[in-house]
Amino acid sequence: MTKRVAIFISGGGSNMVRLVEDMQAGGHAATPVLVLANDAEAGGLKKAAALGVPTAVVDHRPFKGDREAFQAALQAELDKVQPDILCLAGFMRVLTESFVAPWEGRMLNIHPSLLPKYKGLHTHARALAAGDAEHGCTVHLVTPALDDGPILGQARVPVFAGDTPDDLAARVLTQEHKLYPAVLRRFAAGEQARLDL
Ligand code: GRF
């Protein structure tokens, strides 16, 4: 039974594109059924449409901080397409327990650090400030605690002298684009053993 995947984005959606392209490449247990953004200007929406994936927008701003109402609107869009798996890919809104709990075990996220190091924002600058010799990205199951769920995969990159946060972000992003599709392909096939690239 092909698994139905919805993907949440907030911006360019480069991770979303790789996930969709890999699902469309064949031999994959999942198919993309929705790309949803919290901003109508998100560049990833056009990319998703060009790949033939239905899109939706639920702008968080009209909800003026009413997280529960925003999350109910998100869930209403998901109810329309009945996904089996939800992937967060560059989605920059915090989701609370009331949204996450029903999805626990079926909701994935990619975070640009080697969790549990550097939960939250500005991960590349923090790794540089700490003088880390390596950095990377993590795909994990989403739980109500931010950036904290069981790890499904990690990819590592070296940190070079003189790296700026942008240099490091670009190096990590190339690994994200390999790791997330590989993890989703396995996850959709029922494999949850950790993948380290
Ligand atoms: C990526 O660095 C990702 O790790 C983070 O958001 C950034 C943008 O992702 N979650 P994308 O290009 O929108 O997929």
Side-chain angles (χ1 to χ4, degrees):
M1 175 70 177
T2 302
K3 297 282 194 301
R4 298 164 59 82
V5 173
I7 305 170
F8 283 4
I9 65 170
S10 292
S14 70
N15 277 290
M16 172 276 296
V17 168
R18 271 54 176 205
L19 293 177
V20 168
E21 288 176 339
D22 192 50
M23 284 187 271
Q24 293 177 339
H28 201 302
T31 186
V33 295
L34 178 68
V35 170
L36 180 148
N38 64 299
D39 179 346
E41 302 306 310
L45 290 168
K46 285 191 174 65
K47 297 173 191 171
L51 288 165
V53 183
T55 61
V57 175
V58 178
D59 190 332
H60 63 280
R61 284 162 291 216
F63 295 95
K64 295 185 176 30
D66 183 346
R67 281 188 194 281
E68 295 303 313
F70 170 58
Q71 292 175 165
L74 293 174
Q75 187 56 52
E77 289 301 321
L78 294 176
D79 291 346
K80 293 175 187 174
V81 294
Q82 295 289 306
D84 304 294
I85 299 169
L86 175 53
C87 290
L88 307 182
F91 188 67
M92 304 308 279
R93 306 303 299 172
V94 171
L95 296 167
T96 66
E97 172 140 21
S98 62
F99 181 89
V100 171
W103 285 99
E104 216 164 325
R106 307 185 292 145
M107 186 169 162
L108 284 64
N109 181 46
I110 189 157
H111 181 75
S113 80
L114 294 174
L115 291 173
K117 294 181 82 169
Y118 313 126
K119 298 176 182 178
L121 299 173
H122 313 304
T123 62
H124 311 300
R126 290 157 67 191
L128 289 170
D132 292 352
E134 65 173 8
H135 188 40
C137 51
T138 303
V139 176
H140 63 95
L141 285 169
V142 176
T143 59
L146 183 69
D147 300 330
D148 192 62
I151 291 175
L152 294 174
Q154 286 195 322
R156 294 168 185 273
V157 299
V159 178
F160 298 127
D163 269 344
T164 66
D166 285 350
D167 296 332
L168 202 44
R171 195 171 308 131
V172 169
L173 196 60
T174 61
Q175 293 303 313
E176 293 179 36
H177 294 163
K178 295 174 187 160
L179 180 67
Y180 212 170
V183 169
L184 178 60
R185 183 175 276 264
R186 289 156 55 98
F187 186 81
E191 295 167 38
Q192 294 201 18
R194 177 181 165 137
L195 174 67
D196 283 284
L197 296 186

